[in-house]
Amino acid sequence: MRRLKTIILTLLAIPITVSAQDMTLCTDSMLHIKLTQKMWDNNDDRATVYHATEVFQAHAAAEGDMASYYNGWVRKIVYELDRMNIYQAYQAEQGMKKDLATKHPCRDEEFLVPNMLGQIYNQCGYIDGALREFKEAIRLVRGTKHEDGIPTLYLGMAHICIGENPKEALKWIDEEMKELNRHPDHERYYRNLANAYAFKSMAEFKLGRMADFVRSSQQSVEMEAKNTTNSHGSFLPYRVIYARAYNGDIQGALAAADSLYNRKDRLIVRSDILNYAGDHQQAIHSMRQLMHLRDSITGVMIAENIKQTEEEVQLIEARELTARKMNVILFVAIILALSFIGALIYNIRSRRRHQKELEQKNLQLNIANRKASEADRMKADFIRNISHEIRTPLNIIYGFSQVLTDPDMTADEKERHLIADAIGKNTQQITSLVNKILALSDEGARDLLAERKDVRCVAVCQEVLAVMSHLNPQHVELQFEPQVTEDAIMYTHGDSLKQMLGCLLENAVKFTEKGYIKLIVKRVSDNEICFIVEDTGCGISEEDAKNIFERFSKVDNFKQGLGLGLAYCHETSQKLGGNLTLDNTYTNGARFVLSLPIH
């Protein structure tokens, strides 16, 4: 019982009550319970919490109860994470790691190190790193006395993914159920299975699979009916909340969501319910609250800059609105004057003709207003997307930069490499994003045809391929197939060509998990060269292919990016006298063909 409680506690910020049944290894159980309750009291003062934790750890160490001893380290980490103190949480995790290695070694508790590091990565928004650490925790926990908690570790991985990738969350829930079904005689089998089905219903609700949601909810109810223990799954209340929303009780579901203990889940559930009810504006507001909750000090600075930018945008919009009103007033005045003069000069036929012209003007004005509204919407989407795309990598860079500069840091070479790799990848992500925005802002003002010069086709391709450092060569092979000679030359804008090839290759890397990415350059006529980027990724559906070259168009909203790369490549290629097309005949992934004139 206590082993399972420790694993759950290290995975989720869900309240856990302490009972005498949980404490069975100490000679003085009442003292153990008292110290545990004091350690886990809701107290915002760090000194009080740390003192209570150290008293509890001294008691557990004296009793030889290492599970409880390391539960004290977990308390410190959870305290810091609950207050978004990433750096302090990492320091506590490093202290626990050093303690395990030197002072109080314990094989059964080694899984806590990657487990808690995964929680820290999750708070930073570094989802890939969090999942990697949880997998390591599962590897370490096998063969220990905590092995029966592996399903809960899988549940924690699903919980990490639920906010941004519900499909990935369903995959980890399936793994949890496989582990549970290996031990159907376990006393908590039906209790945990009911909890797993409840979580599964949440993911299916988020994906809009309502038939699957109803089925999973019913299975959860059936499993809970067979639960003979005194405890209940932590996600059962979530299932009830989503069921209330599904049955039409939106206000009741929102009120129940507000009572959830976990602040992150509270905002995610509210957003899901509001989206289901069609109130997308409030749903976006809830997700903004969640992003602010996860921000570090750097995130707060970014938020303040964004707020200032939004105020400037609002001021510009107000000025534009005033100008439009003045233009409308002036336009109406002119029309009235012309109508008055026309009434004096022209006959009924002339007035009718003028009326038709006025109607045509009004139609054009309506079209212009619709375009202006669409431009305002795209501007708002751009601000929202750019704030989200820049915030997360900056948080990671800021947090890990503090870690690397800490003189007391005890991370080994492997961890330093992983941290440096995370900083490099996120720096490259921000650089690529800024380059795309700058390229799009420049394209309207520059005369690319006037800046053309001789460019070596093969050399340009090799330069672009050389900077594709974030590709995983163990899963995806990067291939180059030149079908022209190395001295083949074309007359074009070299920087724009590099930018377009880089965007196409980055796009292929983003959607290709295994197989290969191939860059082909070949001459198809006397005055045309084609650059072909081919991958074995997920491909593009016919529906998505219709809008793939429009700005802010994204095939997968869960992937990083603003949806600007392909739009830039398409527009730039046409300015250079060529074209960019999607080869619909290729079915093993996606194949983009960039055609440009040689002369």
Side-chain angles (χ1 to χ4, degrees):
M1 179 72 172
R2 185 177 60 174
R3 298 198 305 269
L4 183 60
K5 172 174 171 276
T6 301
I7 294 173
I8 296 174
L9 178 60
T10 60
L11 285 172
L12 307 172
I14 296 173
I16 301 175
T17 57
V18 181
S19 66
Q21 294 176 352
D22 291 323
M23 310 303 165
T24 57
L25 297 182
C26 294
T27 56
D28 189 347
S29 294
M30 293 306 298
L31 175 60
H32 193 99
I33 293 172
K34 180 179 178 181
L35 293 176
T36 303
Q37 290 175 332
K38 189 171 183 179
M39 179 177 68
W40 286 101
D41 278 346
N42 291 328
N43 195 315
D44 283 333
D45 182 62
R46 176 184 284 111
T48 302
V49 172
Y50 274 48
H51 175 72
T53 301
E54 288 161 3
V55 172
F56 174 81
Q57 285 183 301
H59 165 76
E63 294 285 344
D65 184 0
M66 289 295 101
S68 294
Y69 175 81
Y70 283 103
N71 203 14
W73 278 111
V74 170
R75 171 55 176 142
K76 292 181 180 179
I77 297 171
V78 169
Y79 171 85
E80 301 296 354
L81 287 179
D82 190 47
R83 289 152 182 82
M84 300 301 292
N85 298 327
I86 303 299
Y87 180 59
Q88 289 80 0
Y90 182 79
Q91 284 185 314
E93 186 268 346
Q94 289 293 297
M96 178 175 66
K97 179 179 178 181
K98 182 178 180 181
D99 202 345
L100 267 167
T102 58
K103 196 172 181 180
H104 297 97
C106 182
R107 169 69 181 86
D108 287 338
E109 310 304 323
E110 288 178 358
F111 81 99
L112 287 174
V113 174
N115 188 359
M116 298 314 298
L117 185 57
Q119 289 294 337
I120 294 171
Y121 283 161
N122 180 34
Q123 291 290 70
C124 290
Y126 185 23
I127 302 302
D128 291 340
L131 292 176
R132 183 184 65 242
E133 296 301 325
F134 269 91
K135 291 175 184 177
E136 176 65 10
I138 291 174
R139 185 187 71 80
L140 291 175
V141 83
R142 291 193 185 277
T144 70
K145 64 182 181 180
H146 300 304
E147 186 172 12
D148 58 354
I150 289 178
T152 311
L153 285 164
Y154 279 122
L155 179 62
M157 296 171 74
H159 189 242
I160 287 174
C161 299
I162 188 68
E164 298 182 5
N165 196 341
K167 290 183 180 179
E168 183 78 4
L170 285 174
K171 183 184 80 172
W172 295 121
I173 282 295
D174 289 340
E175 292 296 326
E176 179 197 9
M177 289 183 175
K178 289 179 184 178
E179 286 290 334
L180 289 173
N181 288 327
R182 289 176 56 192
H183 306 284
D185 55 342
H186 194 282
E187 64 175 351
R188 298 169 68 91
Y189 172 73
Y190 288 111
R191 180 262 188 206
N192 292 338
L193 201 58
N195 199 38
Y197 276 118
F199 189 94
K200 189 173 184 180
S201 70
M202 291 169 51
E204 288 162 344
F205 188 97
K206 290 176 71 66
L207 291 169
R209 303 173 182 173
M210 291 307 158
D212 293 336
F213 163 74
V214 172
R215 181 165 51 255
S216 295
S217 295
Q218 183 59 36
Q219 288 172 316
S220 176
V221 172
E222 292 172 359
M223 294 300 103
E224 181 62 18
K226 297 179 181 181
N227 177 20
T228 59
T229 68
N230 292 328
S231 64
H232 305 282
S234 56
F235 289 105
L236 297 186
Y238 293 66
R239 181 202 71 205
V240 174
I241 293 172
Y242 282 101
R244 292 180 71 171
Y246 176 77
N247 291 324
D249 184 11
I250 301 299
Q251 293 304 318
L254 290 173
D258 289 337
S259 67
L260 293 175
Y261 176 81
N262 187 287
R263 290 182 292 175
K264 173 186 173 183
D265 288 353
R266 187 187 312 152
L267 294 171
I268 290 175
V269 172
R270 279 188 61 86
S271 178
D272 292 342
I273 295 170
L274 291 167
N275 270 321
Y276 178 75
D279 192 351
H280 304 299
Q281 190 67 31
Q282 287 299 319
I284 292 173
H285 178 69
S286 292
M287 293 312 294
R288 282 179 175 172
Q289 287 182 304
L290 176 60
M291 286 189 287
H292 285 304
L293 178 64
R294 298 177 63 178
D295 283 344
S296 62
I297 296 174
T298 303
V300 173
M301 294 171 62
I302 294 173
E304 291 175 351
N305 290 336
I306 291 173
K307 181 178 179 181
Q308 182 180 357
T309 303
E310 289 178 344
E311 291 174 351
E312 292 174 355
V313 169
Q314 290 173 357
L315 180 59
I316 293 172
E317 289 176 345
R319 291 174 179 173
E320 291 177 349
L321 180 61
T322 302
R324 285 198 298 269
K325 289 180 178 179
M326 294 300 297
N327 289 336
V328 170
I329 293 172
L330 180 61
F331 178 79
V332 172
I334 293 173
I335 294 299
L336 290 175
L338 291 176
S339 298
F340 177 75
I341 295 172
L344 298 176
I345 299 175
Y346 296 102
N347 56 23
I348 297 176
R349 182 181 298 176
S350 298
R351 283 183 292 173
R352 288 179 178 176
R353 185 172 61 252
H354 180 71
Q355 183 64 30
K356 291 180 179 180
E357 292 176 356
L358 181 60
E359 291 175 355
Q360 184 64 28
K361 292 285 186 180
N362 287 335
L363 178 60
Q364 293 175 357
L365 183 60
N366 288 335
I367 294 174
N369 285 336
R370 285 197 295 270
K371 290 182 178 180
S373 297
E374 180 64 16
D376 289 342
R377 184 192 65 78
M378 292 179 64
K379 178 167 57 181
D381 288 344
F382 176 78
I383 293 173
R384 182 168 57 252
N385 290 337
I386 196 67
S387 65
H388 174 72
E389 292 295 331
I390 292 180
R391 178 184 290 113
T392 297
L394 277 182
N395 284 344
I396 295 174
I397 293 170
Y398 180 79
F400 285 137
S401 297
Q402 283 188 316
V403 172
L404 289 175
T405 56
D406 181 10
D408 298 327
M409 177 182 174
T410 60
D412 56 29
E413 187 64 26
K414 179 181 178 182
E415 289 176 338
R416 288 177 179 272
H417 179 75
L418 289 173
I419 292 174
D421 183 59
I423 292 175
K425 287 181 178 179
N426 283 275
T427 301
Q428 186 176 11
Q429 178 183 336
I430 295 175
T431 301
S432 174
L433 186 62
V434 172
N435 287 339
K436 290 177 183 177
I437 295 172
L438 290 175
L440 280 171
S441 65
D442 287 344
E443 67 170 343
R446 298 177 62 183
D447 185 0
L448 299 182
L449 293 177
E451 300 177 8
R452 292 180 297 170
K453 60 182 179 181
D454 288 340
V455 175
R456 292 186 179 273
C457 304
V458 175
V460 167
C461 295
Q462 290 172 340
E463 288 181 30
V464 175
L465 291 171
V467 299
M468 300 299 293
S469 59
H470 56 287
L471 185 69
N472 187 347
Q474 296 179 352
H475 299 92
V476 181
E477 180 183 2
L478 185 61
Q479 302 176 3
F480 178 44
E481 185 178 309
Q483 298 182 13
V484 297
T485 60
E486 289 193 3
D487 58 351
I489 294 177
M490 63 186 301
Y491 189 64
T492 188
H493 194 278
D495 290 340
S496 295
L497 177 57
K498 292 178 185 178
Q499 184 75 12
M500 288 187 289
L501 292 177
C503 287
L504 293 174
L505 288 170
E506 285 182 11
N507 200 58
V509 170
K510 191 184 303 180
F511 291 96
T512 304
E513 297 182 356
K514 60 181 179 179
Y516 68 86
I517 297 173
K518 183 186 296 184
L519 173 60
I520 304 171
V521 54
K522 65 179 182 180
R523 184 168 183 166
V524 295
S525 70
D526 292 340
N527 193 36
E528 185 178 7
I529 280 185
C530 285
F531 298 86
I532 302 172
V533 176
E534 175 182 302
D535 63 57
T536 56
C538 60
I540 301 173
S541 66
E542 292 184 6
E543 185 65 25
D544 290 330
K546 297 177 182 178
N547 306 316
I548 194 66
F549 295 120
E550 294 184 5
R551 295 189 181 188
F552 307 112
S553 175
K554 297 179 67 175
V555 174
D556 187 348
N557 289 326
F558 294 113
K559 294 290 186 180
Q560 291 179 334
L562 296 175
L564 296 174
L566 291 178
Y568 164 77
C569 294
H570 187 258
E571 295 171 11
T572 304
S573 65
Q574 292 184 336
K575 284 191 174 184
L576 292 173
N579 198 13
L580 175 65
T581 59
L582 173 65
D583 187 354
N584 294 322
T585 63
Y586 181 70
T587 58
N588 292 331
R591 177 190 286 158
F592 288 91
V593 180
L594 173 62
S595 303
L596 293 174
I598 297 177
H599 306 297

